[in-house]
Amino acid sequence: MPSVCLCLTHVLGLCLGLLCLLFVTLWSAHWRGGFSWDGSALQFNWHPVLMVSGLLVLYGYAAVVYRLPFTWSQKKRVWKLVHAGLMFLALVLSVLGLCAVFDFHRFIHVPHLYSIHSWVGISAVVLFAVQWALGLAGFLLPCSPLWIRSSLKPVHSWIGKAILILSVTALLTYKLYLSVLFCSSENSTEPYSSLPAEAKFVNSLGLLIVAFGLVTFGILSNEKWQRPEEDAESVQVSMDAVTGTILLLIIANV
């Protein structure tokens, strides 16, 4: 039986993700003027909303699908498709977020990829795309041998956590850039309470992003919260892994 702590952690992660979406949407709509797709600053407003939605929240939800207790009694194949589908949607939103900012930069003649935020962000999206392609080839294609899946599984898990860390880092470096702008526009000797409401709101969004990332990473890192493997599948994977290793050794000796 799943622990109460696991269930409460999932609920906490769900609430934090929804709050992240609410905060970033309110910020772009209320303080930044809304949305458009015409090359103006209103088009840029899509960038933080799409990146938070795809590269952080939806990615985090998709990553912990296998850790949802109510899915453990159901066929794993179905939830593999759900996992892959949510990840693909998260990737699409992330790419749209990049398109929004690149198109905006072209419109105002600003060079691309000139900050640490952009470097980390583009690295996260590229790694995400590679991860999704490897996952599709290794875990969903029927022709993929089970011993390859067993070898790829720890790598897939590690890269997934790395993408989450890169996503949180990219979003925080963007919030840091905004904080510098707010502080430079105000008297730095003034107390924190004198900052504009927008600055405090953005700081709150940053805390929500960190909290969501930590909760998601905690769920993924707890081995006791993994989906129980079916005995037949575990035995078959182990036998195929041994067979694959033997074949590789034979080929190497030949």
Side-chain angles (χ1 to χ4, degrees):
M1 292 294 292
S3 67
V4 175
C5 183
L6 171 58
C7 296
L8 291 177
T9 305
H10 274 296
V11 172
L12 177 61
L14 175 64
C15 294
L16 287 172
L18 293 176
L19 284 174
C20 286
L21 294 178
L22 177 63
F23 270 54
V24 72
T25 303
L26 285 177
W27 172 56
S28 295
H30 179 67
W31 278 288
R32 299 287 97 184
F35 305 95
S36 182
W37 201 280
D38 55 2
S40 67
L42 298 183
Q43 178 173 331
F44 179 83
N45 290 344
W46 281 111
H47 177 63
V49 172
L50 290 171
M51 301 311 283
V52 170
S53 301
L55 198 56
L56 180 72
V57 177
L58 190 55
Y59 178 87
Y61 288 166
V64 300
V65 158
Y66 292 131
R67 308 296 178 103
L68 293 171
F70 72 87
T71 68
W72 295 352
S73 60
Q74 302 175 23
K75 290 184 178 180
K76 189 174 182 179
R77 178 74 178 180
V78 174
W79 289 99
K80 279 185 179 181
L81 295 174
V82 172
H83 174 73
L86 290 176
M87 283 296 186
F88 181 73
L89 180 57
L91 181 59
V92 169
L93 292 177
S94 302
V95 172
L96 287 175
L98 292 181
C99 291
V101 69
F102 285 161
D103 193 44
F104 170 69
H105 284 174
R106 283 193 296 268
F107 188 80
I108 63 173
H109 306 292
V110 171
H112 304 307
L113 305 176
Y114 59 87
S115 65
I116 185 63
H117 160 71
S118 59
W119 295 355
V120 175
I122 199 69
S123 298
V125 175
V126 170
L127 189 59
F128 187 6
V130 173
Q131 167 85 328
W132 192 88
L134 288 176
L136 175 65
F139 298 105
L140 283 180
L141 294 183
C143 60
S144 176
L146 287 178
W147 70 271
I148 289 183
R149 298 181 189 180
S150 64
S151 301
L152 185 60
K153 186 176 180 179
V155 178
H156 187 75
S157 177
W158 184 88
I159 294 178
K161 295 174 185 176
I163 294 171
L164 178 64
I165 294 173
L166 288 174
S167 302
V168 173
T169 302
L171 293 170
L172 288 183
T173 52
Y174 178 65
K175 299 300 179 289
L176 177 62
Y177 170 73
L178 290 176
S179 297
V180 172
L181 288 182
F182 285 130
C183 290
S184 62
S185 62
E186 301 288 332
N187 189 342
S188 59
T189 61
E190 293 294 326
Y192 178 81
S193 59
S194 66
L195 285 176
E198 181 183 0
K200 299 174 182 178
F201 191 85
V202 169
N203 286 347
S204 300
L205 173 59
L207 289 178
L208 288 174
I209 289 172
V210 171
F212 178 79
L214 288 175
V215 170
T216 304
F217 192 86
I219 295 175
L220 295 175
S221 300
N222 194 329
E223 295 183 358
K224 296 180 180 179
W225 292 350
Q226 290 183 356
R227 175 190 173 99
E229 293 289 349
E230 294 83 354
D231 293 338
E233 180 182 354
S234 299
V235 171
Q236 185 64 43
V237 169
S238 299
M239 292 177 62
D240 283 358
V242 172
T243 302
T245 303
I246 294 175
L247 289 175
L248 290 176
L249 291 175
I250 293 175
I251 294 174
N253 290 331
V254 171

